[in-house]
Amino acid sequence: MQDTDSNSTQSLIDKYYQEEQERRLQEKTQAEISVKIEPADLAMLNMIARRFSKSRDEITRDVMSTALIDLFSRLESGERKLLARDADEATRQLAEEIAEENGVTDVDIRQGQWTTHEKNIVKLERKRAREQEKQQELLASAQKVLDQTATSAVTSKVTATTDTDAADESEELSAEGMKPSNEAEATSVFSAG
């Protein structure tokens, strides 16, 4: 039992060393920037960092990354594609320069990150357009059904009114002792007499 626990513990410690080494290497391949922000923004940044037990730098990096993707997604499609290509070309060069400044010789950089973002944004835009088109078709179908229902209701009311008027006329003539007749009968009665 002791030997198994020792192996598990050693594996865990090895994992921690590896994570620490990866984190240090990653930090050496990232650029440091200086940003001036308003006290209210800094206060919120501190609160969020404290709430999630993160450093202010970690939160700032994540916020910056998310905001850049959001800004990028709002650019016009053609411009977005060109900027993605240019940013991807500049990524390796910048990463190598940063790593060299920090004494790192081997840099493993993801290629095509912005082009991938651009493709995903295009997919989402197309999906939204298809969904909007489907909604428009559904609305048009619903409007057509409503129009048909309204037309049927009006036709039914007109028919009912016409039937009611004929029945009322028949009752009035019966009350006066006359029989309802059409125009041809009325003409033949007058011409015979």
Side-chain angles (χ1 to χ4, degrees), residues 15-182:
K15 177 184 169 196
Y16 291 159
Y17 277 131
Q18 184 178 357
E19 288 174 354
E20 181 182 53
Q21 185 179 6
E22 288 171 0
R23 187 173 53 251
R24 285 182 182 163
L25 181 60
Q26 184 181 26
E27 287 174 0
K28 288 184 176 185
T29 59
Q30 294 177 342
E32 188 172 317
I33 62 171
S34 176
V35 178
K36 293 184 179 184
I37 62 174
E38 296 293 325
D41 295 339
L42 180 60
M44 182 52 70
L45 182 64
N46 289 337
M47 294 299 107
I48 292 171
R50 185 176 354 169
R51 163 61 181 85
F52 292 101
S53 301
K54 300 268 187 183
S55 72
R56 201 165 57 189
D57 287 344
E58 288 174 303
I59 298 295
T60 303
R61 182 182 60 234
D62 292 344
V63 167
M64 179 68 89
S65 180
T66 303
L68 282 173
I69 292 170
D70 188 42
L71 287 170
F72 177 69
S73 71
R74 296 180 192 299
L75 293 170
E76 292 179 2
S77 181
E79 188 174 19
R80 193 173 54 221
K81 192 170 191 164
L82 292 173
L83 287 176
R85 185 197 64 208
D86 292 347
D88 285 341
E89 288 175 6
T91 296
R92 175 162 286 293
Q93 181 182 357
L94 286 170
E96 289 173 354
E97 288 173 8
I98 295 165
E100 188 178 314
E101 288 174 10
N102 291 307
V104 177
T105 56
D106 187 28
V107 180
D108 184 26
I109 298 297
R110 291 186 318 182
Q111 289 295 311
Q113 178 177 347
W114 288 103
T115 301
T116 301
H117 285 311
E118 199 274 331
K119 288 178 182 176
N120 289 334
I121 291 166
V122 168
K123 285 179 188 177
L124 284 173
E125 288 174 342
R126 287 180 181 158
K127 183 179 178 182
R128 284 186 197 133
R130 282 191 305 270
E131 288 173 358
Q132 188 174 17
E133 189 176 299
K134 285 180 184 177
Q135 286 179 349
Q136 292 297 329
E137 288 173 4
L138 287 173
L139 285 172
S141 294
Q143 187 63 46
K144 187 176 180 181
V145 168
L146 286 173
D147 291 345
Q148 288 173 347
T149 304
T151 301
S152 295
V154 168
T155 303
S156 296
K157 188 171 184 173
V158 167
T159 303
T161 304
T162 305
D163 291 345
T164 304
D165 289 347
D168 290 345
E169 181 183 328
S170 177
E171 287 177 14
E172 288 175 16
L173 291 175
S174 295
E176 294 176 9
M178 298 174 70
K179 202 160 95 173
S181 62
N182 60 28

